[in-house]
Amino acid sequence: MSEIEISIAGGESASFAAGTTVQEAVKVLCSSKERKNTLAVKADGKALDLTATLDKSVQLTPITITSDEGLDLLRHSAAHVMAQAVVELFGSAVKVAIGPSTADGFYYDFDRPVPFTPDDFEAIEQKMQEIVGRNLPFARQTMDRQDAIAFFKERNQEYKVELLEDLTDAEVSLYGNGEFVDLCRGPHIPHTGFLRAFKILRLAGAYWRGDEKRPMLQRLYGTAFFDPKALKQYLHLIEEAKKRDHRKLGKELELFTINEQIGPGLTLWLPKGALVRKLIEDYWRSEHYANDYELLYTPHIAKRDLWATSGHLDFYVDDMFSAMDVDGVDYQLKPMNCPFHIGIYTSKKRSYREFPIRWCELGTVYRYERTGALQGLMRVRGFTQDDAHIFVLPNQLEDEIFNIIDLNLHVLKTFGFTEYDVFLSTRPDKYVGSDENWEKATNALKLALEKKGLKYEVDPGEGVFYGPKIDIKIKDVLGRSWQCSTIQVDFNLPERFAISYTGEDGKEHQPIMIHRALMGSLERFFGVLIEHYAGAFPLWMAPVQTVILNITDNQLPYAEDVYAMLRKSGVRVSKDVRNEKLNFKIREAQMAKIPYMVIVGDKEMETGMVTVRLKDGKNLDPMPVAEFVELINHESKKSQGLES
């Protein structure tokens, strides 16, 4: 029998007989602690179970319980265990579909005649715990694809049959734990006993293969951790997230609403929410003016031919609304602002002396999102992008990207976001433009990130059809990631629209276009802000900075005078002069997340002063109204980072 050389990444190597299992190699090459923590390995980049055999020399990288990949294996395996529990509990009438791991857990789709209810969760979890206690190995077997089709047909598992029929592989792998056998590439944890901390979280509907014309399946979501403490912490975060849900707080704090009579996915900004939006927009405009941008406004519709020229009809048509006939010409609600900015660019001849040209717009766009995908402000059909397009000369590209990153991080910090993940998204399978330009654009983004000293991950194939991009995913107070900021380099649209500038040599040249959004969309960003701050916005963003509370009707005239003085001074103020007890009105103000309460009684009326109560219950010494205005203004600037 021939010998092969097997090594552990960063560790020992040894000779083994060909056909040695991964587990046997790990036993020799790893310490007892390392062996205990190893779930699977990567062999030359390919993930393998511990039971896999090795027939050639290779370097192994352990996948351990402390790694993200190890947690992903655990959760994928947990999906199999949940499916096994459902089948054991509810019988062979249950048809199983797919069950992958997700970023924070796993799910499995089932076709079952009887709907699941939350009451079923406990029974399923108990059955899963029983399966865990059996320490069942995840046993892999390979099978001819046609034999696998026959295997699942015999068990009336039509979804597995369909998946197999769509494959081209001659041979497929199945995983069995006990009598439950599933179609799966693997790998998995060695046995079910590793699954010690798990929870079924919720139930949802899901169309088979995401097709609204296919059967609606029942999707059970769950999560799993190696450490029960980590599960407990995660469940705590879920409860905290429920309290912060922007849909719940948006209604309670009267910030926005969505009216089914008007249409799903179309946001109505209520007065308080509209005021926050104005504050965000005013700040956004002032920062862009300070950074040498010029403001644009463009229409909401355009001739459909425009989107053929831009390429959106070829690559984006499924996300666009249907065309509308206007005087026999097809028009289109805009899904993007970029072609309009190119229209402004072509309104006159351009010289190299004008560059860089920085244009920004709070432009409302419309995209067809499926009804099932809509979610409060996070996924809507009409939204306003904080859009910008910068036209640069080739030698300006890297520095301009660097400047955009600086502005981007400054704006995010002002809103309270200092933690984020950065991704460099590269060329997708379907793209336009030359490989040479894609390489130039990708390298420019990469160099700017490195020049800025930002850590980033490459996200292969996730660029847009016209160019690569940088995505910045901000992290909220609960550690959740949100996609907001994006920077995209585009050689394609300038070429498709044949735009040019006169160079120093007197000849015509093609500029490079950068697409850029800092917040992404105002709707989504506002939803993230609501959840990040639990509705208690920083003072500079609070729709109501203070509320006036009178103790009795005797102070009504003075309360009205104070209200008028504060409003005239620019303080965002409301008044609660209802004939209610003061403590009741204080509780109402606290629930409304109002930072300051101005209390006026007989003493305040006599002295011309106000008593200020903070939302934490602390009272400040009585002060003149003018002094309170100074306090509000100072604290507001401080909350925005403008004063210390």
Side-chain angles (χ1 to χ4, degrees), residues 17 29 122 129 151 160 232 269 384 392 435 526 560 565 570 575 600 629 643:
L29 297 172
E122 185 176 352
Q129 197 63 59
F151 177 86
K160 300 297 180 183
K232 184 177 180 181
W269 294 75
T384 302
V392 296
D435 291 350
F526 186 46
E560 292 290 350
M565 285 188 283
K575 55 190 174 183
V600 293
V629 171
E643 292 184 6

Side-chain angles (χ1 to χ4, degrees), residues 25 36 45 54 65 96 115 131 149 231 300 303 325 340 346 461 491 519 595 618:
K36 186 177 179 181
L54 303 170
I65 62 174
V96 294
I131 294 167
I149 289 172
L231 174 61
H300 290 233
K303 290 180 178 179
D325 183 285
F340 293 83
T346 59
F491 289 87
M519 297 180 287
K618 179 183 177 182

Side-chain angles (χ1 to χ4, degrees), residues 465-485:
F465 71 87
Y466 50 76
K469 60 177 179 168
I470 292 171
D471 286 325
I472 300 176
K473 297 183 180 181
I474 58 176
K475 290 188 176 181
D476 67 12
V477 70
L478 298 183
R480 298 173 299 177
S481 291
W482 302 95
Q483 172 63 60
C484 293
S485 311

